[in-house]
Amino acid sequence: DVKVTQSSRYLVKRTGEKVFLECVQDMDHENMFWYRQDPGLGLRLIYFSYDVKMKEKGDIPEGYSVSREKKERFSLILESASTNQTSMYLCASSFLTDTQYFGPGTRLTVL
Amino acid sequence: GEDVEQSLFLSVREGDSSVINCTYTDSSSTYLYWYKQEPGAGLQLLTYIFSNMDMKQDQRLTVLLNKKDKHLSLRIADTQTGDSAIYFCAESIRGGGNKLTFGTGTQLKVEL
């Protein structure tokens, strides 16, 4: 079974803090994705990566950056967290053009 | 551009059929997906359909695609309380490994 894990289920941070969200997949997938989920807006793509050290902007990259130093790990970074980044963050991975598999999500609250 | 729309809520009685609808705008979509999200969990792939198909059936799930109207539906037969969840449709023009565009999600509530 494909397994995508995220470092935290719940996270509370203060405005201005640097926040790291980690995602690890165990299926040697090339592609990894970060989405945020907000009520009434569905899932919106923040960044994605097709390979190690490679990244591409999604639909809403402002205020975020990513890092992919190893194939199995894709990190989302909030350089200076703001209250409008309070959201559910979902990571996904896939093999080439195959189905995306999702992690359980991290609910981030920025105070 | 890509845009995927769904109604936000649907309520059905246990044992009835549920039909969740989705419309999309990108005529070059080649794959259309249905994902399920249970409370506090990530998204689980339910089923998908290629754009050259009209229908796909998998046990209690039936997916219908009307490519002319860009309309996708998911029918759940004999709906159970365990089917209560948010259902997302998503489209991709190059397969799931590339970018997916998601709808807003439909909250399905199953009442006894």
Side-chain angles (χ1 to χ4, degrees):
Chain A
D1 278 353
V2 176
K3 193 164 185 184
V4 181
T5 57
Q6 296 183 229
S7 51
S8 305
R9 293 299 303 273
Y10 300 93
L11 208 52
V12 180
K13 295 291 181 180
R14 293 201 176 276
T15 302
E17 279 192 77
K18 190 169 185 176
V19 181
F20 292 87
L21 302 182
E22 305 284 340
C23 176
V24 177
Q25 48 93 5
D26 67 356
M27 285 301 293
D28 204 33
H29 283 170
E30 276 72 15
N31 304 329
M32 296 189 76
F33 306 82
W34 274 108
Y35 296 88
R36 67 176 279 176
Q37 180 183 4
D38 300 289
L41 297 177
L43 274 72
R44 293 178 291 167
L45 182 64
I46 304 171
Y47 267 97
F48 59 106
S49 169
Y50 289 139
D51 202 351
V52 175
K53 296 193 186 293
M54 177 272 172
K55 61 185 178 184
E56 286 196 31
K57 292 180 180 179
D59 299 318
I60 51 162
E62 295 78 20
Y64 303 94
S65 62
V66 290
S67 172
R68 193 160 180 207
E69 296 295 319
K70 292 185 178 181
K71 192 175 185 181
E72 67 269 19
R73 187 180 297 268
F74 192 34
S75 303
L76 180 69
I77 303 155
L78 287 67
E79 294 288 342
S80 177
S82 63
T83 54
N84 64 12
Q85 292 178 311
T86 292
S87 187
M88 169 74 95
Y89 290 88
L90 292 162
C91 174
S93 73
S94 72
F95 176 68
L96 298 177
T97 59
D98 205 350
T99 304
Q100 291 188 24
Y101 293 90
F102 283 80
T106 296
R107 186 166 293 282
L108 172 67
T109 302
V110 182
L111 301 175
Chain B
E2 303 143 356
D3 194 17
V4 181
E5 294 187 357
Q6 300 177 239
S7 54
L8 290 179
F9 299 102
L10 177 65
S11 180
V12 299
R13 288 194 178 277
E14 189 177 38
D16 288 351
S17 292
S18 308
V19 179
I20 302 170
N21 295 301
C22 172
T23 57
Y24 60 98
T25 57
D26 196 326
S27 58
S28 57
S29 296
T30 56
Y31 297 81
L32 293 134
Y33 300 83
W34 284 105
Y35 281 87
K36 176 184 180 182
Q37 184 182 36
E38 294 180 354
L43 273 67
Q44 169 197 352
L45 178 69
L46 279 181
T47 187
Y48 63 92
I49 189 168
F50 296 112
S51 59
N52 62 358
M53 296 170 65
D54 297 325
M55 185 180 91
K56 182 178 180 181
Q57 187 151 4
D58 183 2
Q59 299 182 333
R60 292 191 298 123
L61 304 178
T62 303
V63 178
L64 295 177
L65 176 61
N66 181 328
K67 200 172 179 184
K68 174 176 168 287
D69 294 339
K70 296 181 190 147
H71 183 266
L72 181 73
S73 67
L74 174 70
R75 179 176 180 269
I76 306 172
D78 187 26
T79 311
Q80 304 297 308
T81 54
D83 295 322
S84 292
I86 302 175
Y87 291 81
F88 291 93
C89 66
E91 65 171 351
S92 171
I93 60 171
R94 286 179 294 171
N98 293 292
K99 290 169 56 176
L100 290 178
T101 301
F102 284 85
T104 53
T106 298
Q107 173 88 54
L108 174 64
K109 183 178 178 184
V110 182
E111 297 175 325
L112 296 172

Short mmCIF file of all heavy atoms in Angstrom, two decimals, chain A residues 42-90:
data_model
loop_
_atom_site.label_atom_id
_atom_site.label_comp_id
_atom_site.label_asym_id
_atom_site.label_seq_id
_atom_site.Cartn_x
_atom_site.Cartn_y
_atom_site.Cartn_z
N GLY A 42 -12.38 24.25 -1.91
CA GLY A 42 -11.79 23.00 -2.36
C GLY A 42 -10.30 22.96 -2.06
O GLY A 42 -9.81 23.58 -1.12
N LEU A 43 -9.57 22.25 -2.89
CA LEU A 43 -8.12 22.15 -2.75
C LEU A 43 -7.46 23.04 -3.79
O LEU A 43 -7.84 23.02 -4.96
CB LEU A 43 -7.65 20.71 -2.98
CG LEU A 43 -7.67 19.77 -1.78
CD1 LEU A 43 -9.08 19.39 -1.43
CD2 LEU A 43 -6.85 18.52 -2.09
N ARG A 44 -6.47 23.78 -3.35
CA ARG A 44 -5.71 24.63 -4.28
C ARG A 44 -4.24 24.25 -4.21
O ARG A 44 -3.69 24.10 -3.12
CB ARG A 44 -5.93 26.09 -3.93
CG ARG A 44 -7.37 26.57 -4.15
CD ARG A 44 -7.54 28.01 -3.73
NE ARG A 44 -7.45 28.18 -2.30
CZ ARG A 44 -7.32 29.34 -1.68
NH1 ARG A 44 -7.24 30.46 -2.40
NH2 ARG A 44 -7.26 29.40 -0.37
N LEU A 45 -3.64 24.14 -5.37
CA LEU A 45 -2.26 23.68 -5.47
C LEU A 45 -1.29 24.81 -5.14
O LEU A 45 -1.35 25.89 -5.75
CB LEU A 45 -1.99 23.15 -6.88
CG LEU A 45 -0.61 22.58 -7.14
CD1 LEU A 45 -0.36 21.34 -6.28
CD2 LEU A 45 -0.47 22.23 -8.62
N ILE A 46 -0.38 24.54 -4.21
CA ILE A 46 0.60 25.55 -3.80
C ILE A 46 1.89 25.39 -4.61
O ILE A 46 2.34 26.31 -5.30
CB ILE A 46 0.92 25.44 -2.30
CG1 ILE A 46 -0.37 25.53 -1.47
CG2 ILE A 46 1.89 26.55 -1.88
CD1 ILE A 46 -0.16 25.22 0.01
N TYR A 47 2.49 24.22 -4.52
CA TYR A 47 3.71 23.89 -5.25
C TYR A 47 3.69 22.41 -5.59
O TYR A 47 3.02 21.61 -4.92
CB TYR A 47 4.96 24.15 -4.37
CG TYR A 47 5.60 25.50 -4.51
CD1 TYR A 47 5.30 26.52 -3.61
CD2 TYR A 47 6.51 25.77 -5.53
CE1 TYR A 47 5.90 27.77 -3.72
CE2 TYR A 47 7.12 27.01 -5.64
CZ TYR A 47 6.80 28.01 -4.73
OH TYR A 47 7.40 29.25 -4.84
N PHE A 48 4.45 22.03 -6.61
CA PHE A 48 4.66 20.62 -6.88
C PHE A 48 6.08 20.38 -7.37
O PHE A 48 6.80 21.33 -7.70
CB PHE A 48 3.61 20.08 -7.86
CG PHE A 48 3.56 20.76 -9.20
CD1 PHE A 48 4.06 20.14 -10.32
CD2 PHE A 48 2.97 22.01 -9.34
CE1 PHE A 48 3.98 20.74 -11.57
CE2 PHE A 48 2.89 22.63 -10.58
CZ PHE A 48 3.39 21.98 -11.70
N SER A 49 6.44 19.12 -7.39
CA SER A 49 7.81 18.74 -7.75
C SER A 49 7.77 17.45 -8.54
O SER A 49 7.12 16.49 -8.14
CB SER A 49 8.63 18.55 -6.47
OG SER A 49 9.88 17.95 -6.77
N TYR A 50 8.51 17.42 -9.66
CA TYR A 50 8.58 16.23 -10.48
C TYR A 50 9.85 15.43 -10.24
O TYR A 50 10.01 14.33 -10.77
CB TYR A 50 8.52 16.59 -11.97
CG TYR A 50 7.18 17.06 -12.42
CD1 TYR A 50 7.06 18.13 -13.30
CD2 TYR A 50 6.01 16.46 -11.97
CE1 TYR A 50 5.82 18.56 -13.73
CE2 TYR A 50 4.77 16.89 -12.39
CZ TYR A 50 4.68 17.94 -13.27
OH TYR A 50 3.46 18.37 -13.69
N ASP A 51 10.76 15.99 -9.46
CA ASP A 51 12.01 15.28 -9.26
C ASP A 51 12.77 15.96 -8.12
O ASP A 51 12.43 17.07 -7.71
CB ASP A 51 12.84 15.30 -10.55
CG ASP A 51 13.87 14.18 -10.61
OD1 ASP A 51 14.06 13.48 -9.59
OD2 ASP A 51 14.48 14.01 -11.67
N VAL A 52 13.80 15.29 -7.66
CA VAL A 52 14.63 15.86 -6.60
C VAL A 52 15.18 17.21 -7.04
O VAL A 52 15.59 17.39 -8.19
CB VAL A 52 15.77 14.90 -6.27
CG1 VAL A 52 16.72 15.52 -5.24
CG2 VAL A 52 15.21 13.59 -5.74
N LYS A 53 15.15 18.16 -6.13
CA LYS A 53 15.66 19.51 -6.33
C LYS A 53 14.89 20.29 -7.39
O LYS A 53 15.31 21.37 -7.80
CB LYS A 53 17.15 19.51 -6.67
CG LYS A 53 18.01 18.97 -5.53
CD LYS A 53 19.47 19.26 -5.76
CE LYS A 53 20.34 18.59 -4.70
NZ LYS A 53 20.11 19.18 -3.37
N MET A 54 13.78 19.78 -7.83
CA MET A 54 12.98 20.45 -8.83
C MET A 54 11.66 20.89 -8.20
O MET A 54 11.08 20.17 -7.38
CB MET A 54 12.71 19.47 -9.99
CG MET A 54 11.84 20.00 -11.07
SD MET A 54 10.12 19.72 -10.74
CE MET A 54 9.38 20.67 -12.06
N LYS A 55 11.20 22.11 -8.54
CA LYS A 55 9.94 22.59 -8.01
C LYS A 55 9.27 23.49 -9.03
O LYS A 55 9.94 24.14 -9.83
CB LYS A 55 10.17 23.36 -6.70
CG LYS A 55 11.06 24.58 -6.86
CD LYS A 55 11.35 25.23 -5.54
CE LYS A 55 12.28 26.43 -5.73
NZ LYS A 55 12.67 27.05 -4.44
N GLU A 56 7.95 23.49 -8.97
CA GLU A 56 7.19 24.38 -9.84
C GLU A 56 6.07 25.01 -9.04
O GLU A 56 5.47 24.35 -8.17
CB GLU A 56 6.60 23.62 -11.04
CG GLU A 56 7.63 23.24 -12.07
CD GLU A 56 6.99 22.86 -13.39
OE1 GLU A 56 5.92 23.39 -13.73
OE2 GLU A 56 7.58 22.00 -14.09
N LYS A 57 5.76 26.25 -9.34
CA LYS A 57 4.68 26.94 -8.65
C LYS A 57 3.33 26.40 -9.10
O LYS A 57 3.13 26.08 -10.27
CB LYS A 57 4.75 28.44 -8.96
CG LYS A 57 5.96 29.13 -8.35
CD LYS A 57 5.96 30.61 -8.69
CE LYS A 57 7.19 31.28 -8.08
NZ LYS A 57 7.24 32.73 -8.42
N GLY A 58 2.44 26.32 -8.13
CA GLY A 58 1.07 25.98 -8.43
C GLY A 58 0.24 27.23 -8.60
O GLY A 58 0.72 28.25 -9.09
N ASP A 59 -0.99 27.17 -8.13
CA ASP A 59 -1.91 28.28 -8.33
C ASP A 59 -1.78 29.38 -7.28
O ASP A 59 -2.10 30.54 -7.55
CB ASP A 59 -3.35 27.76 -8.34
CG ASP A 59 -3.57 26.76 -9.47
OD1 ASP A 59 -3.08 27.01 -10.59
OD2 ASP A 59 -4.21 25.72 -9.23
N ILE A 60 -1.31 29.02 -6.08
CA ILE A 60 -1.24 30.01 -4.99
C ILE A 60 0.09 29.92 -4.25
O ILE A 60 0.14 29.64 -3.05
CB ILE A 60 -2.42 29.86 -4.00
CG1 ILE A 60 -2.56 28.39 -3.53
CG2 ILE A 60 -3.73 30.31 -4.63
CD1 ILE A 60 -3.38 28.24 -2.26
N PRO A 61 1.22 30.17 -4.90
CA PRO A 61 2.52 29.99 -4.25
C PRO A 61 2.96 31.13 -3.32
O PRO A 61 3.91 30.97 -2.55
CB PRO A 61 3.48 29.92 -5.46
CG PRO A 61 2.81 30.79 -6.47
CD PRO A 61 1.33 30.59 -6.29
N GLU A 62 2.26 32.25 -3.37
CA GLU A 62 2.71 33.43 -2.61
C GLU A 62 2.73 33.14 -1.11
O GLU A 62 1.76 32.64 -0.54
CB GLU A 62 1.79 34.61 -2.89
CG GLU A 62 1.82 35.12 -4.33
CD GLU A 62 1.00 34.26 -5.28
OE1 GLU A 62 0.12 33.50 -4.80
OE2 GLU A 62 1.27 34.32 -6.50
N GLY A 63 3.85 33.46 -0.48
CA GLY A 63 3.99 33.26 0.95
C GLY A 63 4.53 31.90 1.33
O GLY A 63 4.72 31.61 2.52
N TYR A 64 4.80 31.06 0.32
CA TYR A 64 5.28 29.70 0.57
C TYR A 64 6.55 29.43 -0.24
O TYR A 64 6.78 30.05 -1.28
CB TYR A 64 4.24 28.66 0.14
CG TYR A 64 2.89 28.80 0.81
CD1 TYR A 64 1.87 29.51 0.19
CD2 TYR A 64 2.64 28.21 2.04
CE1 TYR A 64 0.63 29.64 0.78
CE2 TYR A 64 1.40 28.33 2.64
CZ TYR A 64 0.39 29.05 2.01
OH TYR A 64 -0.84 29.17 2.60
N SER A 65 7.34 28.50 0.25
CA SER A 65 8.43 27.94 -0.55
C SER A 65 8.48 26.44 -0.25
O SER A 65 7.79 25.96 0.65
CB SER A 65 9.78 28.60 -0.22
OG SER A 65 10.12 28.38 1.14
N VAL A 66 9.26 25.71 -1.04
CA VAL A 66 9.34 24.26 -0.86
C VAL A 66 10.78 23.81 -1.00
O VAL A 66 11.65 24.53 -1.52
CB VAL A 66 8.47 23.49 -1.88
CG1 VAL A 66 6.99 23.68 -1.59
CG2 VAL A 66 8.81 23.89 -3.30
N SER A 67 11.00 22.59 -0.54
CA SER A 67 12.33 21.99 -0.65
C SER A 67 12.17 20.51 -0.92
O SER A 67 11.36 19.84 -0.26
CB SER A 67 13.11 22.21 0.64
OG SER A 67 14.31 21.48 0.64
N ARG A 68 12.95 20.00 -1.89
CA ARG A 68 12.94 18.57 -2.14
C ARG A 68 14.39 18.13 -2.35
O ARG A 68 14.89 18.07 -3.46
CB ARG A 68 12.09 18.19 -3.33
CG ARG A 68 11.85 16.69 -3.39
CD ARG A 68 10.68 16.33 -4.21
NE ARG A 68 10.47 14.89 -4.25
CZ ARG A 68 9.88 14.27 -5.25
NH1 ARG A 68 9.45 14.96 -6.30
NH2 ARG A 68 9.71 12.97 -5.21
N GLU A 69 15.02 17.79 -1.23
CA GLU A 69 16.41 17.35 -1.26
C GLU A 69 16.53 15.84 -1.48
O GLU A 69 17.56 15.36 -1.98
CB GLU A 69 17.10 17.74 0.06
CG GLU A 69 17.19 19.25 0.26
CD GLU A 69 18.07 19.91 -0.80
OE1 GLU A 69 19.12 19.34 -1.14
OE2 GLU A 69 17.69 20.98 -1.30
N LYS A 70 15.50 15.11 -1.08
CA LYS A 70 15.48 13.66 -1.28
C LYS A 70 14.16 13.29 -1.95
O LYS A 70 13.15 13.97 -1.77
CB LYS A 70 15.61 12.92 0.05
CG LYS A 70 16.95 13.09 0.71
CD LYS A 70 17.05 12.22 1.96
CE LYS A 70 18.43 12.37 2.57
NZ LYS A 70 18.58 11.51 3.78
N LYS A 71 14.18 12.21 -2.70
CA LYS A 71 13.02 11.83 -3.49
C LYS A 71 11.79 11.60 -2.63
O LYS A 71 10.67 11.92 -3.03
CB LYS A 71 13.33 10.57 -4.28
CG LYS A 71 12.32 10.24 -5.36
CD LYS A 71 12.78 9.05 -6.18
CE LYS A 71 11.84 8.79 -7.33
NZ LYS A 71 12.28 7.62 -8.13
N GLU A 72 11.98 11.05 -1.44
CA GLU A 72 10.84 10.66 -0.63
C GLU A 72 10.27 11.80 0.21
O GLU A 72 9.23 11.64 0.84
CB GLU A 72 11.22 9.49 0.29
CG GLU A 72 12.23 9.84 1.38
CD GLU A 72 13.66 9.61 0.94
OE1 GLU A 72 13.91 9.54 -0.29
OE2 GLU A 72 14.53 9.52 1.83
N ARG A 73 10.94 12.94 0.26
CA ARG A 73 10.56 14.00 1.20
C ARG A 73 10.33 15.32 0.49
O ARG A 73 11.17 15.77 -0.30
CB ARG A 73 11.66 14.15 2.25
CG ARG A 73 11.32 15.08 3.39
CD ARG A 73 12.49 15.14 4.37
NE ARG A 73 12.75 13.83 4.97
CZ ARG A 73 12.23 13.41 6.11
NH1 ARG A 73 11.41 14.19 6.78
NH2 ARG A 73 12.53 12.22 6.58
N PHE A 74 9.21 15.94 0.81
CA PHE A 74 8.86 17.22 0.20
C PHE A 74 8.39 18.14 1.31
O PHE A 74 7.42 17.83 2.01
CB PHE A 74 7.76 17.01 -0.84
CG PHE A 74 7.48 18.17 -1.76
CD1 PHE A 74 8.50 19.01 -2.19
CD2 PHE A 74 6.21 18.39 -2.25
CE1 PHE A 74 8.25 20.05 -3.06
CE2 PHE A 74 5.94 19.43 -3.14
CZ PHE A 74 6.96 20.26 -3.53
N SER A 75 9.10 19.24 1.51
CA SER A 75 8.81 20.14 2.63
C SER A 75 8.17 21.42 2.14
O SER A 75 8.57 21.98 1.11
CB SER A 75 10.10 20.48 3.37
OG SER A 75 10.75 19.31 3.83
N LEU A 76 7.18 21.87 2.88
CA LEU A 76 6.54 23.16 2.62
C LEU A 76 6.98 24.12 3.70
O LEU A 76 6.93 23.78 4.89
CB LEU A 76 5.02 23.01 2.62
CG LEU A 76 4.21 24.28 2.36
CD1 LEU A 76 4.38 24.74 0.91
CD2 LEU A 76 2.73 24.07 2.67
N ILE A 77 7.41 25.30 3.30
CA ILE A 77 7.96 26.28 4.25
C ILE A 77 7.15 27.57 4.18
O ILE A 77 6.92 28.10 3.08
CB ILE A 77 9.44 26.57 3.92
CG1 ILE A 77 10.24 25.26 3.93
CG2 ILE A 77 10.02 27.57 4.92
CD1 ILE A 77 11.47 25.30 3.08
N LEU A 78 6.72 28.01 5.36
CA LEU A 78 6.11 29.33 5.48
C LEU A 78 7.17 30.22 6.12
O LEU A 78 7.49 30.05 7.29
CB LEU A 78 4.86 29.28 6.35
CG LEU A 78 3.61 28.63 5.77
CD1 LEU A 78 3.78 27.14 5.55
CD2 LEU A 78 2.41 28.89 6.69
N GLU A 79 7.76 31.11 5.34
CA GLU A 79 8.88 31.90 5.82
C GLU A 79 8.50 32.80 6.99
O GLU A 79 9.25 32.96 7.94
CB GLU A 79 9.44 32.76 4.68
CG GLU A 79 10.07 31.95 3.55
CD GLU A 79 11.40 31.32 3.94
OE1 GLU A 79 12.01 31.76 4.95
OE2 GLU A 79 11.84 30.37 3.26
N SER A 80 7.32 33.36 6.94
CA SER A 80 6.83 34.24 8.01
C SER A 80 5.31 34.07 8.06
O SER A 80 4.58 34.69 7.30
CB SER A 80 7.20 35.70 7.72
OG SER A 80 6.69 36.55 8.72
N ALA A 81 4.89 33.16 8.95
CA ALA A 81 3.48 32.76 8.96
C ALA A 81 2.56 33.96 9.22
O ALA A 81 2.86 34.85 10.03
CB ALA A 81 3.25 31.69 10.01
N SER A 82 1.43 33.93 8.53
CA SER A 82 0.40 34.97 8.75
C SER A 82 -0.94 34.29 9.01
O SER A 82 -1.13 33.11 8.69
CB SER A 82 0.31 35.88 7.52
OG SER A 82 -0.10 35.14 6.40
N THR A 83 -1.85 35.04 9.61
CA THR A 83 -3.13 34.44 10.01
C THR A 83 -3.91 33.92 8.79
O THR A 83 -4.68 32.95 8.92
CB THR A 83 -3.99 35.46 10.77
OG1 THR A 83 -4.13 36.64 9.99
CG2 THR A 83 -3.36 35.81 12.12
N ASN A 84 -3.73 34.52 7.62
CA ASN A 84 -4.46 34.02 6.45
C ASN A 84 -3.88 32.72 5.89
O ASN A 84 -4.38 32.18 4.89
CB ASN A 84 -4.57 35.09 5.36
CG ASN A 84 -3.23 35.49 4.79
OD1 ASN A 84 -2.22 34.85 5.04
ND2 ASN A 84 -3.21 36.57 4.02
N GLN A 85 -2.84 32.22 6.54
CA GLN A 85 -2.32 30.90 6.18
C GLN A 85 -2.84 29.81 7.09
O GLN A 85 -2.44 28.65 6.97
CB GLN A 85 -0.79 30.93 6.17
CG GLN A 85 -0.24 31.79 5.04
CD GLN A 85 1.27 31.87 5.04
OE1 GLN A 85 1.90 32.15 6.07
NE2 GLN A 85 1.87 31.63 3.88
N THR A 86 -3.74 30.16 7.99
CA THR A 86 -4.46 29.15 8.78
C THR A 86 -5.30 28.32 7.82
O THR A 86 -6.14 28.86 7.09
CB THR A 86 -5.35 29.82 9.83
OG1 THR A 86 -4.53 30.44 10.82
CG2 THR A 86 -6.28 28.81 10.49
N SER A 87 -5.05 27.02 7.80
CA SER A 87 -5.70 26.17 6.82
C SER A 87 -5.36 24.71 7.08
O SER A 87 -4.56 24.38 7.96
CB SER A 87 -5.22 26.56 5.41
OG SER A 87 -5.94 25.87 4.41
N MET A 88 -5.97 23.83 6.28
CA MET A 88 -5.58 22.42 6.25
C MET A 88 -4.62 22.26 5.08
O MET A 88 -4.94 22.67 3.95
CB MET A 88 -6.80 21.53 6.06
CG MET A 88 -6.47 20.08 5.75
SD MET A 88 -5.88 19.18 7.18
CE MET A 88 -7.42 18.45 7.71
N TYR A 89 -3.46 21.65 5.33
CA TYR A 89 -2.46 21.44 4.29
C TYR A 89 -2.36 19.95 3.98
O TYR A 89 -2.18 19.12 4.87
CB TYR A 89 -1.10 21.99 4.72
CG TYR A 89 -1.11 23.50 4.76
CD1 TYR A 89 -1.51 24.18 5.90
CD2 TYR A 89 -0.76 24.24 3.64
CE1 TYR A 89 -1.56 25.56 5.93
CE2 TYR A 89 -0.80 25.64 3.66
CZ TYR A 89 -1.20 26.28 4.81
OH TYR A 89 -1.24 27.65 4.83
N LEU A 90 -2.49 19.64 2.70
CA LEU A 90 -2.47 18.25 2.26
C LEU A 90 -1.32 18.02 1.30
O LEU A 90 -1.11 18.79 0.37
CB LEU A 90 -3.79 17.90 1.57
CG LEU A 90 -5.02 17.86 2.47
CD1 LEU A 90 -6.28 17.94 1.66
CD2 LEU A 90 -5.02 16.59 3.30
#
